Amino acid sequence: MINVYPDTRGRYGMFGGKFVPETVMFALEELERGFHDAMEDPLFIENVSNELIDYSGRPTPITFASHLTERLGGAKIYLKREDLNHTGAHKINNAIGQALLAKRMGKKKIIAETGAGQHGVAAATAAARYGLKCKVFMGEEDIKRQALNVFRMKLLGAEVIPVTSGTGTLKDATNEAIRQWVGSVDDTFYLIGSVVGPHPYPYIVREFQSIIGKEAKQQFKQLNHGKLPDAIIACVGGGSNAIGMFSPFIEEDKVKLIGVEAAGKGLDTEEHAATMAKGTLGVIHGSITYLLQTEDGQIQEPYSISAGLDYPGVGPEHAYLKHSGRAEYVSITDDEALEALSILCTDEGIICAIESAHAIAQAIKEAKAMSVDQSILVCLSGRGDKDVHTLFEREEFHDGSK
Amino acid sequence: MGASRFERFEKGEKPLFVPFITAGDPTSEITVELALSLEKVGADAIELGIPYSDPLADGPVIQRASSRALQAGMTLEKAMKLVSSMREKGLKIPVIIFTYYNLLLQLGEERFFALASENDIDGLLVPDLPFEESGELRQQCQNKGISFISLVAPTTSKERLKQIGHSAKGFLYCISSLGVTGVRRELSSDLDVFLKKAKEYSNVPVLIGFGLSNKEQMQSFNDLCDGFIIGSRIVSKIEELGRELIQLEKRKEALESFEEFVSSLVPSFVYR
């Protein structure tokens, strides 16, 4: 059964594992023990659960997208509203969990990597809440592009460390966070932002994000007389909202699971982040998975209009779900995502994150091909406030251009 | 045959000295010259680093060398072929290929071993392949006469240290400090306990590396280990001399000052 993964080596089938320098091994072993102990401790579980309720505002609702459904004339579309979390996305579920784990393990500081800054903000938020010192590693290119999120992190009391190595983006920030962690593991916890990295990270993040799917399953059944959705759709960068949503549904064979990657400017161009469609097997950030790389094995920089999806790898469990055929992975271009975003704004009054708009765009495609008595559950992973400046620069969002 | 070069690899009058350079930094041709220079000033083996886009174990100095070499078009296959050029020019000491695992995966193990035998390569070190994941590759290396170099750190548990020490080939690489490669002014004081344990469990010479930068450090560990690995300090000298090394008319002089620098770096007792 799929849910027994990862195995003792941290593998999901052939994917995952611990491909890290010897100096990292101790830190991972300690983390694995710390996480295992915490998950056996009812007080810890209760503490996380209470914080998700009292601080982040869970449970997040499921919204029936009635106008969108009507417009398409096919399957009913439901939205799991992770955008209504504190800080505006699913990222906080994991940040709260790991920050409380850090505290339980006696760590005083956390470090985190961030691309666009969403995970950095979530980590800084959790650090402030639980009295931990926080350093966020961020590529210098990203710092330039995401000045507001840098400011948010600083407001929250975090220190933002510019990363100049490599291409100065998310993958380099992740490398740097791992490097720094190894040198300071006695008092520092590395709070990773997605279901990526060496074991046990993909497992830890899945466990903290699976609240999304657990809630959704129960809520959906209540809304639909015990029925489950016919399909579940979520966007995939590293893949944490998708794994969180899929996880409790993996055992439900009749529920189709669809992950949506960013096709950027098109799969036939160099500018995309479609790791599943165009990537090959390799090692990135300590894990065997699909990744975008040259023939020689140098990791390539991905592209997507949505910063949260442009990661050159993908979580090893997703690679496994694709390999085993349990989930299907498709891709959506920048333009398709923006069009979906625009439709959701006017049909439902929700400005969603561009990441989530990729999932909406796929839902629009699927719904049309399905019957009215079927239904689709979409993970609306985050709100679009952070993307408003990107939208503002696009002509199609201004009067008269459409 | 590769393995035979390592058979004589043991501490004699002087500690063993293994420098690290990045293949293709600043060019392929100069890498060959640098290897010969290193042998000339007493290197007992060379670690030839393969440039990688995401060198997780390396600090800024080797990261920069990696970027320069990648820009110059270096690959694992080209680097392995360079070793033939080194041999043609008379290099006798063992050469160890230091490569991140993804590069090896993409080249393919079969191709790697074919190239290793064609190009007279003696050892392999994969910094991001821990003991638990390296079983098959270690066996393959054994079959093909390549020494698979293992690493241990001060945080390595006693159980793992035992396992890794027992299966070590060539030499056992003891990481002197946590974090990444790079020069450090101070090394941990518990290092002697760690080195004693490492020596106890290892059947091969025990060398220390990561953060070594001066004679004093090396002298103080001379009784506890069989030798030293020096990377960043040498690579940063290559960075400094880069421009002169590239200019043909200044190369000879630059190589001489490189040799002088490396000589000054290691304790005098390293020299024959």
Side-chain angles (χ1 to χ4, degrees):
Chain A
M1 192 55 229
I2 277 164
N3 267 337
V4 304
Y5 287 109
D7 65 18
T8 51
R9 288 162 76 206
R11 294 291 191 107
Y12 303 81
M14 67 192 289
F15 306 98
K18 289 182 195 170
F19 294 85
V20 292
E22 179 61 27
T23 47
V24 185
M25 291 300 282
F26 170 78
L28 292 176
E29 283 163 9
E30 185 191 71
L31 176 62
E32 209 172 335
R33 280 194 303 272
F35 181 63
H36 184 80
D37 287 354
M39 296 309 270
E40 305 257 287
D41 174 4
L43 278 176
F44 175 78
I45 305 283
E46 196 187 328
N47 196 9
V48 173
S49 171
N50 286 342
E51 283 298 284
L52 290 176
I53 295 167
D54 303 336
Y55 182 61
S56 187
R58 298 203 74 92
T60 59
I62 282 185
T63 302
F64 174 48
S66 55
H67 291 115
L68 182 60
T69 298
E70 206 174 300
R71 168 202 291 269
L72 300 168
K76 294 193 244 345
I77 297 178
Y78 292 86
L79 311 172
K80 174 63 173 166
R81 301 291 304 281
E82 290 303 297
D83 59 321
L84 296 179
N85 268 304
H86 180 43
T87 72
H90 70 290
K91 291 285 184 193
I92 195 75
N93 302 331
N94 169 54
I96 288 174
Q98 284 194 55
L100 287 172
L101 177 60
K103 256 193 110 91
R104 191 176 187 278
M105 289 173 68
K107 309 292 179 183
K108 304 273 180 270
K109 303 174 190 165
I110 59 167
I111 53 174
E113 83 297 338
T114 198
Q118 293 310 111
H119 171 58
V121 169
T125 300
R129 171 81 177 162
Y130 308 120
L132 296 158
K133 272 200 157 162
C134 179
K135 271 188 196 173
V136 180
F137 291 87
M138 188 169 183
E140 62 171 1
E141 280 307 309
D142 288 331
I143 287 181
K144 278 185 223 152
R145 291 191 289 210
Q146 304 288 341
L148 270 182
N149 269 344
V150 174
F151 182 63
R152 281 191 185 101
M153 288 182 259
K154 288 179 180 165
L155 275 180
L156 291 160
E159 187 186 348
V160 179
I161 316 273
V163 175
T164 55
S165 59
T167 45
T169 57
L170 175 60
K171 76 175 179 69
D172 308 293
T174 307
N175 290 335
E176 205 52 41
I178 296 174
R179 289 182 187 121
Q180 295 294 323
W181 181 41
V182 170
S184 57
V185 66
D186 47 334
D187 67 347
T188 303
F189 185 98
Y190 174 31
L191 202 163
I192 206 166
S194 191
V195 283
V196 300
H199 178 69
Y201 277 115
Y203 169 51
I204 291 176
V205 178
R206 177 189 80 193
E207 293 304 293
F208 288 136
Q209 289 293 4
S210 63
I211 183 75
I212 303 173
K214 282 179 197 156
E215 278 176 13
K217 198 170 180 180
Q218 205 184 15
Q219 291 166 321
F220 193 92
K221 278 183 173 173
Q222 263 169 15
L223 285 168
N224 292 280
H225 315 288
K227 255 190 73 184
L228 290 173
D230 297 281
I232 289 180
I233 302 179
C235 63
V236 176
S240 69
N241 89 85
I243 281 290
M245 185 62 148
F246 290 174
S247 184
F249 289 95
I250 289 174
E251 60 187 23
E252 309 288 350
D253 295 339
K254 289 191 180 124
V255 180
K256 203 169 154 189
L257 305 175
I258 304 170
V260 187
E261 298 187 295
K265 295 183 179 167
L267 292 187
D268 50 352
T269 70
E270 298 276 294
E271 293 178 87
H272 60 75
T275 313
M276 293 288 203
K278 305 290 267 187
T280 49
L281 199 65
V283 172
I284 180 168
H285 298 137
S287 187
I288 289 203
T289 184
Y290 295 109
L291 61 133
L292 300 174
Q293 57 183 329
T294 66
E295 238 172 54
D296 297 327
Q298 308 294 346
I299 297 173
Q300 284 175 315
E301 203 49 46
Y303 162 82
S304 163
I305 188 168
S306 97
L309 300 184
D310 66 355
Y311 179 67
V314 65
E317 190 166 3
H318 282 296
Y320 175 70
L321 290 173
K322 176 191 155 100
H323 188 75
S324 68
R326 178 62 190 94
E328 183 192 338
Y329 293 84
V330 297
S331 56
I332 285 291
T333 64
D334 287 356
D335 290 346
E336 289 171 318
L338 292 179
E339 196 190 337
L341 187 149
S342 169
I343 292 171
L344 197 68
C345 285
T346 51
D347 275 7
E348 306 296 342
I350 298 171
I351 305 176
C352 73
I354 303 178
E355 288 81 356
S356 320
H358 285 71
I360 300 289
Q362 186 62 28
I364 290 173
K365 286 188 185 176
E366 302 277 340
K368 287 180 193 163
M370 290 164 72
S371 70
V372 288
D373 52 1
Q374 290 183 298
S375 52
I376 297 173
L377 176 59
V378 181
C379 187
L380 198 84
S381 56
R383 67 181 181 221
D385 303 36
K386 69 182 178 60
D387 294 320
V388 169
H389 68 280
T390 307
L391 304 178
F392 188 77
E393 283 163 16
R394 302 277 299 203
E395 255 178 45
E396 65 261 44
F397 287 93
H398 293 276
D399 275 340
S401 64
K402 256 196 135 151
Chain B
M1 186 59 208
S4 60
R5 281 196 200 93
F6 265 119
E7 268 164 24
R8 291 189 305 273
F9 203 75
E10 53 187 47
K11 191 179 190 180
E13 304 262 293
K14 65 180 198 68
L16 294 159
F17 167 45
V18 179
F20 170 101
I21 53 175
T22 299
D25 171 34
T27 69
S28 307
E29 198 190 344
I30 295 164
T31 299
V32 174
E33 296 296 329
L34 291 170
L36 293 166
S37 285
L38 289 169
E39 181 174 45
K40 197 167 142 194
V41 297
D44 295 287
I46 288 175
E47 271 184 34
L48 189 61
I50 313 302
Y52 183 46
S53 56
D54 292 71
L56 204 53
D58 287 303
V61 170
I62 295 176
Q63 286 173 34
R64 286 199 301 272
S66 232
S67 307
R68 289 193 295 272
L70 281 177
Q71 272 182 347
M74 186 48 60
T75 65
L76 174 54
E77 179 159 349
K78 284 183 191 167
M80 292 177 79
K81 288 178 175 166
L82 273 189
V83 180
S84 275
S85 313
M86 294 173 188
R87 298 282 180 230
E88 276 161 31
K89 294 199 163 187
L91 190 85
K92 303 263 184 317
I93 54 178
V95 176
I96 300 144
I97 295 290
F98 176 111
T99 179
Y100 284 88
Y101 189 48
N102 196 44
L103 302 178
L104 187 61
L105 261 183
Q106 304 313 317
L107 182 69
E109 284 178 13
E110 205 175 310
R111 181 88 187 113
F112 173 83
F113 285 112
L115 283 165
S117 111
E118 278 165 35
N119 296 286
D120 247 341
I121 282 153
D122 308 277
L124 172 64
L125 192 163
V126 187
D128 58 345
L129 196 63
F131 185 75
E132 289 77 356
E133 296 287 356
S134 65
E136 234 170 87
L137 189 60
R138 259 183 288 133
Q139 189 55 51
Q140 284 242 47
C141 281
Q142 173 104 0
N143 299 343
K144 311 272 180 178
I146 303 282
S147 300
F148 185 88
I149 308 295
S150 300
L151 295 96
V152 290
T155 48
T156 303
S157 68
K158 195 177 157 193
E159 261 327 291
R160 294 185 74 241
L161 189 62
K162 239 185 210 171
Q163 280 184 316
I164 299 171
H166 282 150
S167 67
K169 301 285 178 226
F171 60 84
L172 182 64
Y173 191 136
C174 293
I175 300 167
S176 62
S177 48
L178 297 180
V180 294
T181 56
V183 171
R184 283 174 185 75
R185 226 170 279 154
E186 279 174 43
L187 294 169
S188 157
S189 51
D190 317 334
L191 211 54
D192 50 346
V193 182
F194 162 55
L195 288 172
K196 267 180 206 153
K197 264 196 289 176
K199 272 208 78 96
E200 186 187 333
Y201 298 134
S202 171
N203 304 317
V204 288
V206 168
L207 272 63
I208 73 170
F210 267 49
L212 289 182
S213 61
N214 62 47
K215 281 184 197 184
E216 289 69 35
Q217 285 173 339
M218 283 175 256
Q219 238 134 12
S220 67
F221 292 116
N222 186 36
D223 293 339
L224 295 165
C225 67
D226 301 304
F228 307 98
I229 299 150
I230 304 180
S232 296
R233 199 69 201 277
I234 288 175
V235 173
S236 74
K237 189 66 186 179
I238 296 170
E239 179 173 53
E240 186 190 315
L241 291 169
R243 209 172 280 180
E244 285 86 352
L245 284 166
I246 287 169
Q247 291 173 35
L248 257 183
E249 62 275 20
K250 292 197 179 158
R251 186 170 303 167
K252 192 166 170 274
E253 201 181 317
L255 285 170
E256 278 166 14
S257 81
F258 176 70
E259 287 163 18
E260 200 177 308
F261 172 79
V262 177
S263 305
S264 76
L265 205 61
V266 284
S268 53
F269 56 76
V270 172
Y271 295 102
R272 293 180 170 105

